[in-house]
Amino acid sequence: MSTEPTWAHRGIWALFAVALLIKAAYLYAYTELPFLDGPVGDSTVYLTQAQAVRAGRFGDPSLLAFSPLYGYLLAVLPGTWSVVVLQLWLGLANLAILYWALKPRFGAIAALLSSCLYLGYGLLLFYETKILTETLGLSLALWALLAFVSQGFSHARWPCTLGAGVLVALAVMARASLIFGIPLFALVSLAPRASAEAWKPRLQRTAGLVLGVSLVLGAYGLWTQAHAGTFVLVRYVAPSTSILSRSSSQSWNENLSDVARGGPDRVPSAWDVVDAVAADLKRLEDGEPETGSRPLDAMLEIDVLGWLRGSPGKLWTTLSDTERTFQYGYYAEREHIAALAVLPFTFHVLLILGSLGAIFLVRRDRLRSLLPYLPWFVGCLITTPLYHPSSRYRLAMVLPLLALG
C-alpha cells in the first residue's frame, strides 16, 4: 500500500501549523502599524456601511455605492480587531478547503502543492489584515470555483448547481469588480464536460446556476427597492457615479488620478462615489426622474476605440509581477514585517505554474477540461482594461492559477 496519502495528510497539517505561526507573527508585528486604528481609503466607506446597517439605514448611499456584503459582515462584528482575526481564519480555512477539494481531482501531492502556493503568495496574507473586501470576496470566489468544478455540478445535481450560483452571486456582492464572471460561469456551465454530453444536463447545470445567482441578486434588489426606493442588483450605477467613460478611454500611466472622476488634476477619493450616489438619491426623493441603477446605460458610456487602444497596455500591466495596491503599501509593509517578507511566491510564479498546469490538463483531458477554471480569470481580464490594472481587480485570477499550478 502506498504511503503517499499518509505523507500528504501529515504534510497538510504541518502546512496548516506553519500558516498559523506565520499569521500570528504577522498579526503581532502589524500592531506597530497604524491601520487598525486609522483605516484609510475604501476602508472608511466599509466602516460607514457597518454603522448604517447597525442603525437600520439599509438604503444608505455608502451601501449602494460600494459592494454591500462586506458592510453587513462588519456590522455584526464588534471591532476592527475581530474583523482581522476572522479574515486570518478565513485564510487558514481556504488553505485547507483548497487541499480537500483538489485532492480527489488531482491527487494528494498536487493538492498539497496548491495549498503551499496559497500560503506562499504574500498578497493574500497582506489583505487579510485590511478592512477591505478582498479576503471575503476571494473566499467566496474560491468556494464558488471549487463548487463549479465539482463532480456534483458536472452531474447537474440541483443542490450543487444552485449552491454554486449562490456562491458566485455572493462573491460579486462582496467584490463588485467580479461582475463579469457571472455570464462567463453561465456560458461555461452550458459547455459539454464530457465527449458528446447530452443537452439535458448542460441545461440543468446552467438553469441551477442562473437560478442561484438570480435569487441572491434579485433578493438584494428588492431589499434596496424597499429601503432606498430604487432597484439595485449589486451597486448603484448612474452617469454621475460611473467612471467608465474616462477609465475606458485612458491609457494606464500608473496613476489613479488619470482615470478618476473629476479628471487628472484631482486626487481620487472613495467618497466621491458615495457623494454622487447620495446626490442621485436626493434627486429621486425630490421627485425627479430616476437616472440610476441601469448598468446598461453605464456600459454604453464605454469609449470603444479608447478601450481598444488602451487594452494591450493595461493587459500587459495586469499580467506583470508588480503589485499595485495604492491605498496600503504592500512593498513598504513587507520591508517592516518579516512574516510577510518570508513568503516566497510572486504573481508570476503563480502565473507560470498555473499556465503550465493548464497546458498539461488540456493535453490529458482536452480543452473542455480547462473551461471551468476560466470564468474568474477571464472576468478579471475584462475588468482591468475597462478600469485600471490594480492588484485588487486582478486578485481573483490567482484562484484558477492556484488550482492548476
Side-chain angles (χ1 to χ4, degrees), residues 74-236:
L74 294 182
V76 302
L77 298 173
T80 53
W81 271 97
S82 62
V83 177
V84 170
V85 170
L86 174 62
Q87 291 177 169
L88 289 167
W89 278 107
L90 274 177
L92 284 170
N94 290 341
L95 186 148
I97 290 170
L98 190 65
Y99 172 78
W100 293 110
L102 294 181
K103 180 181 174 182
R105 191 171 186 84
F106 296 128
I109 301 302
L112 178 59
L113 292 175
S114 288
S115 297
C116 290
L117 292 175
Y118 186 100
L119 175 61
Y121 183 45
L123 195 69
L124 301 181
L125 178 59
F126 169 81
Y127 277 125
E128 288 171 12
T129 57
K130 307 301 180 289
I131 309 301
L132 293 171
T133 61
E134 270 56 46
T135 299
L136 177 62
L138 189 81
S139 298
L140 290 165
L142 173 63
W143 305 340
L145 173 62
L146 295 176
F148 192 66
V149 301
S150 68
Q151 289 297 317
F153 190 92
S154 295
H155 295 155
R157 296 171 187 156
W158 277 102
C160 297
T161 58
L162 188 67
V166 167
L167 288 170
V168 168
L170 289 175
V172 172
M173 291 283 290
R175 281 297 296 153
S177 61
L178 298 176
I179 188 73
F180 295 108
I182 291 179
L184 294 171
F185 272 105
L187 287 174
V188 173
S189 64
L190 194 59
R193 293 202 175 184
S195 180
E197 183 182 29
W199 274 99
K200 182 178 179 180
R202 294 157 62 181
L203 292 172
Q204 288 176 334
R205 286 197 301 263
T206 307
L209 181 126
V210 171
L211 178 60
V213 170
S214 301
L215 287 174
V216 173
L217 299 188
Y220 181 69
L222 293 175
W223 180 257
T224 59
Q225 182 69 53
H227 293 282
T230 182
F231 191 93
V232 179
L233 284 176
V234 180
R235 286 179 55 181
Y236 189 95

Side-chain angles (χ1 to χ4, degrees), residues 333-358:
E333 190 169 302
R334 194 173 60 176
E335 291 179 1
H336 289 85
I337 299 181
L340 191 61
V342 300
L343 300 178
F345 301 133
T346 66
F347 180 77
H348 268 179
V349 171
L350 303 186
L351 182 62
I352 292 169
L353 293 178
S355 299
L356 288 173

